[in-house]
Amino acid sequence: GFSMSTYDVTSRSIYLRWPKFSGASSYRVTARAVNTVGHSLLAHFSEVTLKGTLTSLIPNTIYAIQAEAIDKNGIILAETQIMQSTAPDIPVIDQAYSKLSNSITVEWRAVPGATSYLLTAQDGDAFIETIVTNSPGTVTGLKPATLYRITIRSINSGGKSQPSPFRKAKTVLAAPVLSVSSPRCDSIAVSWKAVYMAAGFSVSLMRSDGLGRMLKENTTNTSFIFTNLDPGTLYTIKAYAWNVNGIPGDDFTYNQRTSPNAPVDVQVAFDSGALRATVSWMPSEGALTYSVTASSGLLKLKCNTSSASCMVPSLQCSSEYYVSVTAYNDAGSSKPTDAVSLKTIPCAPVNISIEQNEPGHLLVSWSSVNFGHYYVVFVKSDDGLEVHCNTSHTQCHFHSDCGFTYFISVFAYNTAGQSPLGDVFNYTTAPCCPSDFRAVLVTSDTLQVTWAPVRGAEMYETRALGWGGVVLCNDTAAACTLSALQCNTRYNIAVYSFSEARGSNTSCASKYVATAPCSPEIKNISKEALSVISVHWQSNNEEATYIVTARGEAGLWHCASSGNSCTLINLPCGSAFSVSAIARSAAGQSLPSYSVPLETAPCCPNDLILTQVTQSVTNISWSVGMGAQTYVTTLESPKGQAKCHTLQNYCLLGCITCGTNYTVSLKAVSETGLTSSCTYQGYSSSACCPSGVKLYRLGNNGIRIYWRASDETINYNTDLHGSKGNFTCTPSSALSHCDITEIPCGDVYTVVVSPVTDKGTKLTFCPKKIYSVTCSGSSVGM
């Protein structure tokens, strides 16, 4: 735990320290030179001393240093050892001098073992140190014209030597700080501030390229101007101050270029399309940049460049600019060149107005433009055709057509070129009028007007003017239907075209169109005779022909008249009709009148058949009569009448007297009560059946049938029907009996005696009688 260290080393001394060791009453330090034989040093220190210095050592020598802790009995308690080299020997300054105002240079002889040297410059309490490796060495960071104490110490790995004996040295004067400018292209002005301790100044000037001679001036002033120099040329200026002893101080070097000459041969090229100008010139010697100024009144436009041309943008039309060029370098600027006049293109004409004083002519006018020598107006129609007008005035006339849109632009011109494109105006002429429109009457109060589409029309207005007012129809189609017109009226019809840009063309021609007659009104229908109908109406148009139509399932029947009535003939029976009337004139045909119902009387049945069912009952049947709903049949004779009213087409009539002639009649009645009386051929009822029919036996195998005849002129027929046979007997006229021979007995017979009609048929409704014919021996029994 015992150790030792050094805290400072010089050329002949080593400064040591160690910690206190417990039990030690003294410390013993021994230093022995490693490379030098016989040179050693011994030093004793008390128990309270913890630092020690070994002196009288050899410079630049490595020592083995041993420290021992010894108790009061002289016994070594602990020991430690280190190796330490002494610093090199103290150097000796040969000379110290100043060449720059912020430094002093020192020269000395080299010291063995020194690896570097510490230079120190002290000014009062302030000092500056610098480590260098060999001689000479320079201390920098000093103040100008100041006296310093200069010392030097040698250094190796062991430490630094003691300072050398000092030398005094003074820094030279500071260099004057120049302010240089070129007030003109052939002069350079130099000025500076006073320098501390300076007695005078020297200023020299020479071209930097080495050409020409050097100009030099000694002065005690702080400014000077060199004249008769070359413009735009780079010069090197050097200046220094000297003190009262004539010793020069630091010099200050500055490169300054004279300002350039103004450029020559200035050319201005104007680009009319982009409203800009390109300015060019011959380059000036020494000019780094150029500035172009284009002035017009209070407006100034500038362009900067390092080349020999520059573009000035954003020029205004109808303006005159004065263009000048100034050359620049780091020294300043030249005088501006003489101004060159530049007149730009004229501005686009404004206040353009377009008028159509009369159809087919456009007048375009505008305000005059500054610097405008003449004007050109271009008019292009929407079909691609373009015309133009060249004039020195402020208006132009153009031909125009209806329904076209014209695009109009006006340009002004001068020697600089064409003005920019201003506003392009469009003017749409009134749409064309529909020509040859056609009006077709749809109904008596509706008129359809059609026409060919016309150019420029976006909408059409059809106007019908009559005594009752105006009827309008607006549509985009080239057709219009005018409804709610007055019948039998003359209208003035016109079709006007319309466009959103120009409105309506009201100069279109019109034509008169008459509507169809009004619908007639049927006042009365009367029946003049069978199948003859007279129709009466109220006439409202003397020039019209009226046509009456009866329309039904049976067909159409017509009649016509220019008056107020006409007659329909040959109408079929039993038919329903709807009767209407129309009026027809050169203007057209009216709507039909309201229909009036018409019904003709029902038809008489074609066929009537009478069949006698019994002696007092007759069946009558007939075919259906067209239009009939019920029928009334009547059989009438002096002996009485039989009648039947039925919905059917047949009827049974009772209370008929046999053998009587009857008159036959029939009435057909329609649903509405119309009646047709129908007459037919007379009818005779059948003869009466005989009475008192009896059978008598004749001989062995025959019988006689006897009756009482109702009329002696009637022939009768006798029928016997039995299981063993049927027998018939027809007596001669005027007889009231009939004999049948060879009739089988033992059978039951039905016997019928019937009158025979004129046609030879026998009646079947006479009463039947039943007889039993028995056998009595070999003869017939009753």
Side-chain angles (χ1 to χ4, degrees), residues 97-160:
Y97 52 89
S98 174
K99 290 185 177 180
L100 298 175
S101 61
N102 67 341
S103 66
I104 294 177
T105 301
V106 182
E107 295 181 1
W108 67 92
R109 290 186 299 274
V111 175
T115 58
S116 60
Y117 300 88
L118 177 64
L119 298 179
T120 302
Q122 185 175 2
D123 172 24
D125 294 332
F127 58 88
I128 295 176
E129 294 182 336
T130 300
I131 295 177
V132 297
T133 57
N134 49 39
S135 179
T138 301
V139 182
T140 60
L142 307 181
K143 295 184 292 184
T146 303
L147 184 62
Y148 285 91
R149 290 164 57 98
I150 307 299
T151 60
I152 185 171
R153 302 170 71 180
S154 59
I155 302 172
N156 66 5
S157 60
K160 296 188 288 285

Side-chain angles (χ1 to χ4, degrees), residues 482-522:
L482 298 170
S483 57
L485 302 177
Q486 296 290 335
C487 58
N488 197 32
T489 303
R490 193 164 181 259
Y491 283 93
N492 187 16
I493 308 295
V495 180
Y496 303 108
S497 52
F498 176 85
S499 69
E500 185 175 352
R502 195 52 55 197
S504 180
N505 188 346
T506 58
S507 63
C508 303
S510 62
K511 64 173 63 176
Y512 283 94
V513 177
T515 56
C518 297
S519 299
E521 181 183 357
I522 297 177

Side-chain angles (χ1 to χ4, degrees), residues 423-636:
D423 293 333
V424 177
F425 292 83
N426 63 71
Y427 185 89
T428 302
T429 56
C432 299
C433 285
S435 60
D436 299 330
F437 64 87
R438 188 167 64 95
V440 178
L441 195 67
V442 179
T443 64
S444 59
D445 65 347
T446 302
L447 194 68
Q448 186 178 51
V449 184
T450 58
W451 57 90
V454 295
R455 185 176 181 87
E458 299 172 2
M459 185 177 289
Y460 302 93
E461 179 182 82
T462 307
R463 183 187 297 263
L465 176 61
W467 64 268
V470 179
V471 178
L472 297 177
C473 171
N474 293 322
D475 205 333
T476 56
C480 193
T481 300
L482 298 170
S483 57
L485 302 177
Q486 296 290 335
C487 58
N488 197 32
T489 303
R490 193 164 181 259
Y491 283 93
N492 187 16
I493 308 295
V495 180
Y496 303 108
S497 52
F498 176 85
S499 69
E500 185 175 352
R502 195 52 55 197
S504 180
N505 188 346
T506 58
S507 63
C508 303
S510 62
K511 64 173 63 176
Y512 283 94
V513 177
T515 56
C518 297
S519 299
E521 181 183 357
I522 297 177
K523 293 295 186 182
N524 184 31
I525 297 178
S526 61
K527 184 175 182 181
E528 302 297 333
L530 185 64
S531 299
V532 178
I533 302 297
S534 181
V535 182
H536 303 266
W537 59 85
Q538 181 178 349
S539 175
N540 52 21
N541 191 325
E542 295 180 356
E543 299 178 355
T545 299
Y546 296 88
I547 300 173
V548 177
T549 301
R551 186 185 307 273
E553 292 183 0
L556 297 175
W557 275 259
H558 304 281
C559 69
S561 173
S562 58
N564 58 4
S565 67
C566 73
T567 301
L568 295 169
I569 62 173
N570 297 326
L571 292 179
C573 59
S575 299
F577 294 93
S578 177
V579 181
S580 63
I582 62 171
R584 183 177 295 166
S585 69
Q589 179 176 295
S590 73
L591 292 173
S593 67
Y594 295 121
S595 296
V596 176
L598 172 64
E599 183 182 1
T600 57
C603 296
C604 289
N606 292 327
D607 300 321
L608 185 82
I609 300 174
L610 286 84
T611 303
Q612 194 156 352
V613 178
T614 66
Q615 187 171 286
S616 62
V617 177
T618 297
N619 180 46
I620 302 178
S621 62
W622 54 90
S623 60
V624 176
M626 181 69 69
Q629 185 184 45
T630 62
Y631 303 92
V632 178
T633 56
T634 304
L635 294 181
E636 192 169 5

Side-chain angles (χ1 to χ4, degrees), residues 658-670:
C658 55
T660 304
N661 292 327
Y662 284 92
T663 299
V664 181
S665 63
L666 181 143
K667 288 184 180 180
V669 184
S670 70

Side-chain angles (χ1 to χ4, degrees), residues 254-271:
Y254 191 91
N255 290 326
Q256 174 66 44
R257 191 180 299 273
T258 51
S259 58
N261 257 334
V264 296
D265 194 19
V266 177
Q267 302 290 330
V268 180
F270 179 65
D271 184 356

